[in-house]
């Protein structure tokens, strides 16, 4: 019997990888995987172009693992043989997790195949130690990879496989110079693969420079819809002061599961997360102002279902790959149509349906009109909508009795910033203390002393701001008499 959609085994994938994928519920490849694997397994250079959520990781990951473990001329020795370069820490962890899962039954002699992640925001020591022990596959971000290569810890001379993932995002983040420096350290005799959702001119130029007659593969027709057909899209013109109220009601829609809320700024992401937590929602935040540990904790909580709402900025959310996101809410509209496609691509993945809701403020209308025109969404002038508008409830399946809160405030650990809390605590203790200035064990409030400096007075006044008011008044009256003494 011939499958309309073949299995991984029928594409020539080795048994150990097929077994690992099957345990993860993956038996049949997605379109981009089916199209790229035959050529990638044969050792050809290729460019894979597909929208977010189409399965690009395994499209390069499976051939990569198979090629380096079946090359009789180049046995694995613990020097990195394959390198995957990704733009963000979150995507690095995601790709690392997928490759490690697919490789769990692969062995090299009497040891397991080794996959490691290299990214910034973490101490160097652990990553250097992993490289010294021996690594076969490295997944990393450009900056940290370049640092460790220049320090001599990451050996790039033994590579036979190179993958650039989400190349358009690396361009947007300004990583192309780092990528070019990495490429100059890699042997010319290698297989190269580049994967990207879009193909702007600088990426095409880069591909021509470092790839050998690559085949350009698209997972869909060039003129197909840029957005997922399985995602139902809504746009509403909303007032900035009412957006949180609207989001609180959208989060109570029937069938709402894991939800991602996108903002354009780090400050707004934290603000929205805090306000939703106050309203009783299980919410976390991922943005650049949080430490790497806090971001990873929030992502883990989202994946495990400990929280079901994640507020994120575009860059921070790039590597989040979760198949069961049911709703995406654009709290602030994205910069352009490509960012819009990336955002709503978080839902409607792997054949599932999804809902994307965009809240357009009045001052965002011009940019939204451009996005709508570029993607042919058919909604250039969204209806003016408030948290009490009946059509919001009917279109999104929100219960009529939904309110702005769902319970007691929820304290989400992953979005807490410890330094800010500490700085808030210290003044509270100081304000409750009454400080009395002394000199030689005696009170210094009796007579003016020419040896007292202006900074001493300033500190004394600050300390007594909310304490003893009488001494503060006496010192203020003495200040005019002190001036001649300090200058003379």
């Amino acid at each position: 019997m011939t499958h309309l959609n073949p299995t991984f085994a029928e594409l020539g994938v080795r048994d150990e990888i097929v077994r690992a994928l099957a345990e993860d519920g993956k038996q049949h490849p997605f379109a981009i995987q089916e199209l790229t694997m035959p050529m990638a397994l044969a050792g050809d250079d290729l460019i894979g172009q597909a929208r977010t959520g189409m399965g690009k990781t395994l499209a390069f990951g499976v051939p990569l693992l198979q090629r380096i473990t079946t090359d009789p001329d180049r046995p694995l020795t613990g020097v990195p043989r394959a390198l995957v370069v990704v733009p963000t820490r979150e995507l690095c962890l995601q790709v690392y997790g997928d490759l490690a899962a697919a490789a769990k039954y692969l062995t090299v002699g009497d040891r397991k195949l080794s996959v490691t992640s290299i990214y910034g925001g973490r101490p160097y020591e652990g990553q250097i130690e992993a490289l010294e022990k021996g690594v076969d596959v490295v997944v990393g971000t450009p900056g940290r990879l370049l640092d460790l290569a220049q320090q001599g810890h990451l050996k790039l001379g033994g590579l036979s496989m190179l993958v650039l993932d989400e190349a358009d995002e690396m361009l947007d983040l300004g990583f192309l110079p780092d990528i070019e420096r990495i490429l100059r350290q890699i042997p010319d005799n290698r297989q190269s693969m580049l994967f990207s959702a879009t193909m702007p001119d600088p990426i095409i130029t880069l591909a021509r420079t470092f790839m050998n007659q690559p085949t350009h593969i698209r997972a869909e027709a060039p003129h197909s819809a840029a957005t997922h057909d399985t995602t139902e899209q809504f746009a509403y013109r909303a007032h900035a002061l009412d957006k949180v109220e609207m989001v609180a009601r959208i989060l109570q829609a029937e069938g709402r599961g894991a939800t991602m809320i996108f903002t354009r700024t780090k400050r707004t992401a934290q603000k929205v997360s805090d306000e939703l937590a106050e309203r009783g929602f299980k919410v976390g935040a991922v943005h650049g102002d949080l430490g790497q540990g806090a971001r990873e904790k929030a992502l883990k909580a989202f994946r495990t279902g400990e929280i079901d709402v994640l507020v994120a900025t575009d860059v921070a959310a790039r590597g989040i790959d979760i198949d069961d996101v049911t709703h995406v809410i654009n709290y602030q509209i994205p910069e352009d149509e490509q960012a819009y496609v990336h955002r709503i691509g978080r839902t409607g993945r792997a054949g599932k349906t999804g809902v994307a809701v965009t809240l357009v403020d009045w001052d965002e209308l011009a940019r939204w009109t451009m996005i709508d025109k570029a993607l042919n969404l058919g909604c250039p002038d969204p209806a003016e909508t408030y948290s009490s508008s009946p059509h919001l409830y009917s279109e999104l399946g929100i219960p009529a009795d939904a309110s702005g809160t769902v319970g007691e405030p929820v304290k989400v650990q992953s979005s807490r910033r410890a330094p800010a809390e500490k700085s808030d605590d210290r003044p509270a203790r100081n304000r409750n203390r009454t400080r009395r200035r002394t000199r030689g064990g005696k009170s210094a409030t009796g007579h003016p002393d020419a040896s007292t400096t202006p900074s001493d007075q300033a500190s004394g006044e600050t300390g007594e701001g909310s304490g003893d008011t009488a001494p503060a008044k006496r010192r203020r009256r003495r200040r005019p008499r002190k001036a001649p003494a300090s200058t003379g």
Side-chain angles (χ1 to χ4, degrees), residues 80-123:
R81 185 61 50 81
L83 174 66
V84 182
V85 186
V86 297
T88 66
R89 303 164 184 174
E90 286 74 24
L91 185 56
C92 178
L93 291 170
Q94 181 68 42
V95 172
Y96 161 75
D98 289 345
L99 293 186
K104 67 179 180 179
Y105 294 118
L106 293 175
T107 58
V108 181
D110 58 351
R111 68 174 177 88
K112 285 189 174 184
L113 185 80
S114 175
V115 183
T116 195
S117 57
I118 302 290
Y119 57 95
R122 284 297 193 196

Side-chain angles (χ1 to χ4, degrees), residues 124-341:
Y124 281 83
E125 291 77 12
Q127 298 173 359
I128 292 172
E129 183 180 349
L131 292 172
E132 290 176 346
K133 286 182 178 178
V135 172
D136 302 306
V137 181
V138 174
V139 184
T141 54
R144 181 58 64 92
L145 288 173
L146 195 58
D147 280 351
L148 293 179
Q150 290 173 339
Q151 294 172 22
H153 299 294
L154 174 61
K155 310 294 185 184
L156 298 177
L159 291 178
S160 63
M161 298 276 300
L162 171 68
V163 178
L164 299 185
D165 191 20
E166 300 285 12
D168 52 349
E169 183 69 7
M170 286 195 272
L171 170 66
D172 293 342
L173 295 174
F175 284 141
L176 249 56
D178 287 348
I179 297 297
E180 291 167 353
R181 283 195 285 270
I182 292 172
L183 291 174
R184 287 195 286 269
Q185 303 182 48
I186 297 177
D188 293 332
N189 183 22
R190 64 171 185 262
Q191 179 183 0
S192 302
M193 292 184 277
L194 183 150
F195 285 79
S196 186
T198 58
M199 291 297 298
D201 290 341
I203 297 300
I204 295 174
T205 302
L206 179 70
R208 288 173 178 166
T209 302
F210 84 95
M211 302 184 83
N212 180 26
Q213 298 180 333
T215 303
H216 192 162
I217 299 173
R218 292 185 179 90
E220 58 262 326
H223 301 293
S224 64
T227 54
H228 293 259
D229 297 332
T230 54
T231 301
E232 194 173 6
Q233 301 170 62
F234 300 91
Y236 302 107
R237 195 183 308 189
H239 193 287
L241 297 178
D242 194 45
K243 281 187 176 182
V244 172
E245 291 286 348
M246 292 179 67
V247 170
R249 285 156 176 80
I250 295 170
L251 292 178
Q252 299 174 63
E254 296 175 3
R256 200 272 298 178
T259 302
M260 293 189 66
I261 301 174
F262 286 97
T263 67
R264 293 184 65 202
T265 67
K266 298 177 285 188
R267 184 177 181 181
T268 304
Q270 190 61 51
K271 175 176 174 289
V272 172
S273 174
D274 291 344
E275 290 195 20
L276 290 176
E278 283 292 322
R279 295 166 182 266
F281 293 98
K282 295 183 293 183
V283 59
V286 176
H287 56 77
D289 277 351
L290 294 176
Q292 183 63 23
R295 291 162 70 171
E296 291 177 14
K297 189 174 181 181
L299 287 175
K300 182 180 180 182
F302 190 55
R303 287 193 177 98
T304 58
E306 182 183 341
I307 60 175
D308 60 2
V309 181
L310 189 69
V311 188
T313 54
D314 292 288
V315 172
R318 188 65 184 217
I320 302 173
D321 187 11
I322 300 173
D323 289 338
D324 57 354
V325 173
T326 63
H327 288 62
V328 167
I329 301 173
N330 292 317
Y331 188 87
Q332 294 170 309
I333 72 169
E335 191 66 35
D336 53 33
E337 67 274 10
Q338 292 181 9
Y340 179 84
V341 171

